[in-house]
Amino acid sequence: MSIKALQNYSPNFSTRRRNPKKIKYIVYHYTGMRSESKAVKRLTDDNSNVSCHYFIKRNGQIIIMVPELYESWHAGKSKWKKDISLNKNSIGIEISNKGHGFGYQNYSRKQISSLIKLSRYLIKKYKIKKSNILGHSDIAFERKKDPGEKFPWSYLSNKKIGIWHNIEEKKIKKIRKKKISNIEILKFIRHINKIGYFTKNLNNNKKLKLVKSFQRRYRQKLINGKIDRECLIIAEKLSKLY
Ligand SMILES: [Zn+2]
């Protein structure tokens, strides 16, 4: 099995080949630039020092930029579980979208359908665990918001890509406003640490960003950075699935 892709190689990669066994994560991104052509240009520009393995255009076309067995430079400073700097053991996929800075768009149907095909291909090839399919904001929540709250994590989980909590929104909405205790806040932090988020040395600013990142992925209708009972229930459920 192979994937149909255009080629536009980036000079930004580590030249030492890696052992395929090292590849254990897939990281999704949005490009976050004014135009698609600018994003392609930047990711293939000698001076930018950034790249990805695959780029998915608005029309669904996939571009290969770095061959899988070389490390591409998509994650930057990042942490997940016990791993730091995830470039070395991940495949990075950039999805064209203006992002929060320039008018955040819905992902196109064609993009999502290509993303599913590509992800299935990679999951099979490298035996990637469901729990190791991540967004950039999961692993770099202090700096990053991508792929953001419009990314269809729930839909992808129906296609066996990534983990979802399956808690129905209707049932839980009522308790969103209920306050939770300090002990429950600590429980929430413990649950999401178990999932993989880096929860050490949290000051208020970092905590806000961490909670927003959690919400962008698992409670996409309300991103306010506040730990409420809905967040707690979702985190509790997830901690059993990861
Ligand atoms: Zn990113």
Side-chain angles (χ1 to χ4, degrees), residues 3-211:
I3 209 82
K4 208 176 130 197
L6 307 167
Q7 296 170 347
N8 187 351
Y9 288 110
S10 172
N12 307 322
F13 62 96
S14 306
T15 50
R16 243 189 90 183
R17 271 168 82 103
R18 53 183 174 174
N19 184 334
K21 282 183 192 143
K22 280 191 104 178
I23 299 172
K24 60 175 181 173
Y25 295 110
I26 295 177
V27 181
Y28 297 133
H29 302 260
Y30 67 46
T31 48
M33 290 189 72
R34 248 178 244 283
S35 78
E36 185 167 280
S37 58
K38 274 191 181 148
V40 171
K41 212 170 160 193
R42 177 156 192 261
L43 290 161
T44 53
D45 176 358
D46 223 344
N47 298 312
S48 74
N49 287 323
V50 291
S51 61
C52 61
H53 293 95
Y54 292 101
F55 183 104
I56 302 180
K57 293 172 37 170
R58 298 291 300 172
N59 69 7
Q61 281 182 322
I62 300 172
I63 306 175
I64 177 160
M65 294 190 166
V66 173
E68 292 154 17
L69 291 185
Y70 296 90
E71 194 179 300
S72 79
W73 301 340
H74 61 96
K77 197 175 172 232
S78 48
K79 288 182 188 131
W80 191 253
K81 293 178 188 163
K82 283 178 181 147
D83 287 306
I84 49 164
S85 300
L86 271 73
N87 279 340
K88 59 181 176 298
N89 43 21
S90 66
I91 300 271
I93 301 175
E94 285 279 358
I95 310 155
S96 177
N97 188 314
K98 294 182 201 288
H100 293 87
F102 300 105
Y104 188 30
Q105 300 160 288
N106 285 320
Y107 292 94
S108 78
R109 236 170 237 267
K110 285 178 176 167
Q111 282 181 310
I112 298 308
S113 130
S114 295
L115 184 72
I116 289 170
K117 274 185 211 146
L118 178 59
S119 300
R120 281 183 170 161
Y121 160 77
L122 295 167
I123 289 165
K124 202 168 170 205
K125 190 167 174 185
Y126 298 106
K127 300 188 176 65
I128 293 169
K129 287 190 207 160
K130 269 189 188 176
S131 55
N132 284 354
I133 296 181
L134 307 170
H136 199 188
S137 62
D138 292 326
I139 62 172
F141 63 82
E142 284 181 60
R143 302 181 293 120
K144 296 293 177 182
K145 296 179 184 165
D146 61 316
E149 63 277 15
K150 290 183 178 176
F151 190 75
W153 287 109
S154 164
Y155 178 70
L156 290 182
S157 79
N158 291 336
K159 310 280 174 193
K160 298 195 163 62
I161 299 167
I163 285 182
W164 186 250
H165 48 72
N166 288 322
I167 294 174
E168 261 187 77
E169 222 228 334
K170 277 175 269 165
K171 284 183 189 162
I172 209 162
K173 228 172 173 177
K174 277 180 241 156
I175 53 173
R176 199 175 269 172
K177 289 196 181 102
K178 275 196 182 170
K179 274 192 99 177
I180 63 173
S181 69
N182 287 341
I183 291 170
E184 287 172 316
I185 286 176
L186 291 177
K187 265 192 194 163
F188 170 83
I189 302 284
R190 211 183 314 129
H191 290 319
I192 69 168
N193 175 261
K194 200 191 153 211
I195 295 169
Y197 288 97
F198 189 78
T199 59
K200 271 185 203 144
N201 309 321
L202 288 177
N203 57 31
N204 283 342
N205 183 39
K206 275 191 202 172
K207 201 188 330 178
L208 181 75
K209 286 178 173 169
L210 171 65
V211 176

